[in-house]
Every structure is written in structure tokens, then in C-alpha cells.
Amino acid sequence: SAVISQKPSRDICQRGTSLTIQCQVDSQVTMMFWYRQQPGQSLTLIATANQGSEATYESGFVIDKFPISRPNLTFSTLTVSNMSPEDSSIYLCSVGWTGNTIYFGEGSWLTVV
Amino acid sequence: DQQVKQNSPSLSVQEGRISILNCDYTNSMFDYFLWYKKYPAEGPTFLISISSIKDKNEDGRFTVFLNKSAKHLSLHIVPSQPGDSAVYFCAASGGQNFVFGPGTRLSVLP
């Protein structure tokens, strides 16, 4: 597996603001995903971050709310835009190589007040 | 519609005994299954996986059993240790799509 670093690890944000979360991997990976875990809930896929092209979003998630960049095979960002308290969640970057297994970063804990 | 279900939100087991965590899925296109462990304030950690062509995979204290006809898998932890206390997520994949269950909180009592 690889070392997957996320920044920030934790933040408290004001309603209506936006926050960008960074995910850095110490080796090149073919797949990068962004997940969300709301309080008491399971892990929900937001989108697949595609290198050099637009991300592929899951049902219920849109680019205007969660813009994603992936400029290369080791780095991606997720922005949570115009935040509301409902966006308070853990946001998780995950990566994979073979398509069989994915690994997670330590997560970014967001609280919107 | 939940494609991956973990019907027990929590489970308590005595240290040294066996922990059995269960998972059911509905989509017959899933061909790979995984278990993750998550401690509070950390990201999920990959534990063990199994391909649909197998019915058992073992790694140390962890064994995963797959019953394809019943669309059911289980994770056995023997012997259970207090450090195993965490939330366990079952996941299923078909291609690059990974679907997670709601998790089971395991408490191993000393």
C-alpha cells in the first residue's frame, strides 16, 4: 500500500464558505476516489477523480457543490462549496491500483457552524 | 436500496472468544468483497478480502467466508483482542465501484 496524506485533518468552517481538501499519495496510483461519511452513517462515494479530465460524480453529488481536481497521478483536491451544517462529515480520499482493493487516507473532519 | 447490508449495528464479545461479523449483499454482479476496520478519528484500514471464485480466505486471526448462493459473507476474528474494538465495514465491488455497508461496532471486553 501507499502513504495517503490528507490536509486539513480537521477544520471548523463558517456556513456559506468553501474549503478545499488535499490528498497526496507517495506513489502513482491509477484510481483515486473521494468518499464522505456523515455522522453515524456508512461511507458514500462522492466521485472518482480522473487524471486530466473531469471527475465522475455519483448520483446526488454535483460538480458545482464538490469540484474535484486531479492534475497528476499522485494528487487530488476536493472542494466543498457554499457549506451548510449538513456538510459536516468526514471526507476521505481513497486510492487503488489493481481495481480489487482501495486504501484510505486518515480523513478530513469538517464541522460547519 | 442498500446493496450491502450489515444487520447488526453492534456486537460485544469477550476477549479470547470468536467474533463473527456478518454481511449480506443483493447485487449478483459483485465479484470482490472486502472488510475494513475503522477506529475513531482515523480513516478505514483494509483488513482482508475475498474473490467470488473462493469461499474462504484466511490471514492470521482473520478469516472471511463467502457463500455466493446466499449472497452472504462473514468475518471471523479468533481470538478476539481488546485492540479489535472498532467499527467494521463490509464492502463489495464489481469493477471499480466499491459499495460499503453501514458498519458493525465491535466491542471486545477484557
Side-chain angles (χ1 to χ4, degrees):
Chain A
S1 62
V3 176
I4 307 164
S5 303
Q6 282 188 236
K7 283 197 276 190
S9 57
R10 190 178 297 272
D11 208 340
I12 300 173
C13 306
Q14 294 294 319
R15 186 191 303 246
T17 63
S18 299
L19 182 77
T20 296
I21 303 167
Q22 297 180 2
C23 178
Q24 178 74 57
V25 192
D26 68 348
S27 62
Q28 293 186 341
V29 295
T30 51
M31 301 183 294
M32 290 185 84
F33 307 97
W34 287 98
Y35 281 82
R36 179 175 76 179
Q37 185 186 18
Q38 294 178 300
Q41 304 295 313
S42 185
L43 306 167
T44 302
L45 180 64
I46 297 171
T48 301
N50 300 309
Q51 193 261 328
S53 65
E54 192 171 287
T56 305
Y57 290 85
E58 297 300 304
S59 175
F61 298 95
V62 295
I63 187 171
D64 290 345
K65 176 67 176 176
F66 297 102
I68 288 171
S69 79
R70 188 177 173 192
N72 56 52
L73 294 176
T74 64
F75 185 79
S76 178
T77 66
L78 167 75
T79 298
V80 186
S81 304
N82 188 25
M83 286 185 284
S84 67
E86 292 71 35
D87 295 318
S88 297
S89 293
I90 306 168
Y91 292 86
L92 294 151
C93 172
S94 74
V95 305
W97 293 264
T98 64
N100 282 347
T101 305
I102 58 173
Y103 300 88
F104 287 87
E106 62 270 30
S108 298
W109 268 248
L110 260 56
T111 303
V112 184
V113 297
Chain B
D1 176 37
Q2 271 191 331
Q3 296 188 68
V4 178
K5 303 175 186 180
Q6 294 176 257
N7 292 322
S8 298
S10 62
L11 174 69
S12 292
V13 170
Q14 209 68 37
E15 181 179 4
R17 306 294 290 269
I18 184 171
S19 295
I20 300 176
L21 297 101
N22 294 302
C23 176
D24 298 287
Y25 61 98
T26 58
N27 190 339
S28 57
M29 297 303 292
F30 290 140
D31 60 4
Y32 204 77
F33 304 90
L34 310 95
W35 285 94
Y36 290 82
K37 176 170 72 174
K38 186 179 183 300
Y39 293 121
E42 293 185 13
T45 303
F46 168 71
L47 263 181
I48 191 169
S49 61
I50 187 167
S51 164
S52 61
I53 62 173
K54 295 187 174 182
D55 55 18
K56 177 182 174 181
N57 187 28
E58 191 172 350
D59 184 3
R61 296 186 298 117
F62 302 92
T63 303
V64 56
F65 295 92
L66 175 62
N67 182 334
K68 277 182 61 179
S69 61
K71 294 191 177 67
H72 176 84
L73 63 153
S74 60
L75 174 68
H76 293 211
I77 306 174
V78 182
S80 300
Q81 300 173 353
D84 296 328
S85 297
V87 176
Y88 288 79
F89 291 99
C90 168
S93 80
Q96 294 189 8
N97 183 22
F98 293 81
V99 181
F100 286 80
T104 296
R105 181 176 302 277
L106 173 66
S107 299
V108 180
L109 310 173

